[in-house]
Amino acid sequence: MIESEHTAKAQQTSCIRIVKMDLLGLTCMYLTSLWLAVAGEDYHDFDIKSLKTQPTFVDTPTNVTFKAGKLAKLDCSVNNLGTKKVIWRRASDFNPLTIGTKTFVGNSRILIEHTPLQKEWNLLIKKVQLDDGGKYECQVSSTQRNLRRFVYLNIIGEYKPSWRKPTILPEPDIKISGPSYVEKGSKILLVCNATGDEHPPDDLDWFKDGDKLSTDHSKQIYIRKQVSLEYKTISSVLEIEKAHLHNAGVYICRTSDLQITRKIVDILNSDTYNVKRGTDKDAIAASHGIYSGNTFHSHRNNSPRLSTNSLHFFCFICIQTVLQLMLQRFYT
């Protein structure tokens, strides 16, 4: 009788231990799944999805040859462009030829071939000449330096129009003055001065990342202009009352006679720690899309990543504490 009672108690104890072990195992599996969901979802969404939506170049010719006087076409096609812009420029010149569908040089022979909602952003050069030959760059506005593609243009023969003399354009007399580095929350103040040959240029416009700027009181953006007939000069002051991170990028000043210059402005965020700023080329890419303003998304993404790591660590500590308590109860 006593032995049967001991046997029953032993079996009962064994069953309780098995139940406890099953509960412990299920709890571990649940907590582990929860931790993996919290830890993995963020990285999956942030890293993998962002990589899938990154712009990529389509394989197009990178070395093309045309006869002088013909229409030259430099191909550039981009998948997943999104809201970014495509910028063409000569590799030997920092200033853009085109941003999106807009032309930023005083040369009517240069234009962009693009159909809305299509991936092609081809550079066209009418009546191509020998001095048009060389290395060109098709760039996407992004912080990644590898989002650019080079195309070599070769010209055969020589183009000599017989019905008119070649015109020599005067050197542009235009410049932007102002700080290249501005603290977040401080004022951005840029001044553009342009001088004409016989009279001041009729007008002067500001662009950022390819988009035209105008006075906007809601965004605290103010533009003032003044003309000096005596010095044949037009001046424009661009003032942004409080600088935000998205105000970083490449600012372009262009006159009505297509004189053009640009200035890179970096916004310094003293509230972040160990944030590496982009280089001038990154800023061009943010605005060159260059516009790389995109140059300045990288440090904004650091803050969510830090908070996510803290959440992962907290979940791990909670799991460890629960397991220790359950093991203590199991052995008692």
Side-chain angles (χ1 to χ4, degrees), residues 119-151:
K119 64 182 72 173
E120 292 80 14
W121 295 84
N122 303 324
L123 179 68
L124 303 181
I125 305 177
K126 299 177 180 178
K127 298 177 182 178
V128 67
Q129 303 170 12
L130 287 177
D131 56 3
D132 291 322
K135 185 179 180 181
Y136 289 77
E137 177 184 297
C138 177
Q139 188 180 27
V140 175
S141 55
S142 174
T143 58
Q144 299 187 23
R145 296 184 181 182
N146 61 341
L147 289 180
R148 59 188 68 190
R149 186 176 180 85
F150 295 102
V151 181

Side-chain angles (χ1 to χ4, degrees), residues 135-319:
K135 185 179 180 181
Y136 289 77
E137 177 184 297
C138 177
Q139 188 180 27
V140 175
S141 55
S142 174
T143 58
Q144 299 187 23
R145 296 184 181 182
N146 61 341
L147 289 180
R148 59 188 68 190
R149 186 176 180 85
F150 295 102
V151 181
Y152 293 86
L153 174 62
N154 306 289
I155 307 300
I156 300 176
E158 185 176 358
Y159 177 61
K160 295 181 178 180
S162 57
W163 61 88
R164 64 176 183 178
K165 295 181 179 180
T167 57
I168 301 176
L169 297 176
E171 289 293 326
D173 188 6
I174 183 172
K175 64 180 180 179
I176 297 177
S177 58
S180 299
Y181 301 93
V182 179
E183 287 284 346
K184 178 183 174 183
S186 299
K187 180 184 295 186
I188 298 177
L189 190 64
L190 301 177
V191 180
C192 181
N193 293 296
T195 302
D197 187 19
E198 298 180 354
H199 54 79
D202 294 331
D203 201 0
L204 186 153
D205 293 317
W206 287 96
F207 296 84
K208 180 188 176 294
D209 301 346
D211 296 323
K212 186 176 179 180
L213 297 176
S214 58
T215 296
D216 189 334
H217 295 279
S218 64
K219 297 180 180 178
Q220 295 184 311
I221 299 176
Y222 308 99
I223 296 177
R224 303 187 301 275
K225 301 176 185 178
Q226 73 176 54
V227 177
S228 173
L229 297 177
E230 179 181 359
Y231 296 102
K232 305 174 185 177
T233 300
I234 183 172
S235 300
S236 179
V237 178
L238 171 63
E239 180 180 344
I240 301 177
E241 192 66 29
K242 289 186 179 181
H244 300 280
L245 296 179
H246 64 264
N247 294 129
V250 176
Y251 288 81
I252 294 176
C253 176
R254 187 182 71 176
T255 64
S256 54
D257 57 358
L258 298 183
Q259 296 185 61
I260 187 169
T261 188
R262 59 103 179 97
K263 187 177 186 65
I264 301 169
V265 177
D266 287 337
I267 306 301
L268 305 180
N269 187 6
S270 58
D271 296 333
T272 60
Y273 298 92
N274 299 325
V275 176
K276 184 177 180 180
R277 300 301 305 178
T279 62
D280 285 355
K281 291 184 178 180
D282 287 331
I284 287 290
S287 140
H288 269 65
I290 290 181
Y291 292 119
S292 231
N294 316 359
T295 296
F296 311 93
H297 293 313
S298 57
H299 62 80
R300 274 183 256 171
N301 289 334
N302 286 339
S303 178
R305 181 58 60 89
L306 289 175
S307 62
T308 301
N309 291 337
S310 301
L311 179 59
H312 297 167
F313 179 74
F314 174 75
C315 290
F316 176 76
I317 294 299
C318 291
I319 293 172

Side-chain angles (χ1 to χ4, degrees), residues 78-126:
V78 185
N79 290 319
N80 301 322
L81 183 62
T83 58
K84 296 180 173 60
K85 298 184 188 299
V86 173
I87 297 91
W88 277 98
R89 70 181 185 89
R90 299 197 71 153
S92 58
D93 188 2
F94 222 37
N95 292 315
L97 296 172
T98 63
I99 303 175
T101 57
K102 298 178 182 178
T103 302
F104 281 80
V105 290
N107 192 336
S108 60
R109 297 185 301 115
I110 295 177
L111 65 154
I112 287 293
E113 179 186 56
H114 172 69
T115 303
L117 303 180
Q118 299 299 316
K119 64 182 72 173
E120 292 80 14
W121 295 84
N122 303 324
L123 179 68
L124 303 181
I125 305 177
K126 299 177 180 178

